Amino acid sequence: MIAVVGHADLSASTLVLVEEELRTRLAEFARAGRAGLVRAGKGLPTAFGRAARKAGLALVTVLPSRNGVPTQLAELDRGAAGELLLLSDQVRLVEYDPGDRGSCVTADESLLRHCARVLAVWDGSPSNGRDITAHLVAYARSHGVDVEVIWPQGAMHGTVSREPS
């Protein structure tokens, strides 16, 4: 499995750059018969899903559940989750509360432990109170998972108001 982690506040123009970069890198994994893994949400997860589909990579989307029953995502993530489900070859339910930051971090850590590679859309900045990308990169590396950092020239942070098309 190949997973993606990264900043949640990427600008719309950055998501376009990232999606193209991911498509190029994911094509290699598709030829090797691998699959991509992403936790449902707007922004980077959707860009990853689109790139995976364009590259011919099988996609597994993770949805939150409680006691084996899917739980509702935040309103901002619902449309993106719907698109990811349409792009996916498989859906997995994972026990976590999408409204609880700690629960999401724990879910991400669990997913990363089962991956051969992580593509990190990361500018190299340390983790802060909101962004945990650096933590997830360090976590993956500490568990022997290969991490490949992606930060295309011209990439920047911003508010994601809509998904790139």
Side-chain angles (χ1 to χ4, degrees):
M1 287 278 193
I2 290 75
V4 67
V5 300
H7 299 296
D9 66 344
L10 300 173
S11 69
S13 61
T14 296
L15 285 170
V16 171
L17 293 171
V18 165
E19 184 177 325
E20 182 57 29
E21 180 69 22
L22 288 170
R23 185 196 58 74
T24 301
R25 293 183 190 216
L26 293 176
E28 299 169 30
F29 297 116
R31 286 189 292 276
R34 299 271 180 101
L37 178 69
V38 66
R39 188 165 55 86
K42 67 178 177 43
L44 179 58
T46 307
F48 181 81
R50 291 173 181 164
R53 177 57 64 196
K54 289 175 186 172
L57 183 75
L59 181 66
V60 178
T61 297
V62 173
L63 292 176
S65 69
R66 187 168 299 136
N67 298 321
V69 177
T71 60
Q72 196 166 33
L73 290 164
E75 188 172 340
L76 290 173
D77 290 326
R78 289 182 201 149
E83 181 178 351
L84 282 167
L85 291 175
L86 292 172
L87 295 170
S88 293
D89 297 282
Q90 185 180 57
V91 176
R92 289 190 184 167
L93 296 178
V94 173
E95 295 276 330
Y96 74 95
D97 177 356
D100 179 280
R101 182 179 182 276
S103 180
C104 291
V105 171
T106 300
D108 286 341
E109 290 172 346
S110 174
L111 295 172
L112 295 181
R113 284 194 305 270
H114 296 82
C115 291
R117 171 146 316 177
V118 171
L119 301 178
V121 180
W122 180 44
D123 64 2
S125 62
S127 290
N128 59 33
R130 292 181 11 189
D131 190 307
I132 60 155
T133 304
H135 165 78
L136 292 174
V137 167
Y139 184 88
R141 287 177 173 158
S142 73
H143 284 80
V145 178
D146 290 332
V147 176
E148 196 174 328
V149 176
I150 298 170
W151 192 252
Q153 185 172 351
M156 58 187 163
H157 298 273
T159 303
V160 178
S161 55
R162 65 175 186 77
E163 299 294 326
S165 48

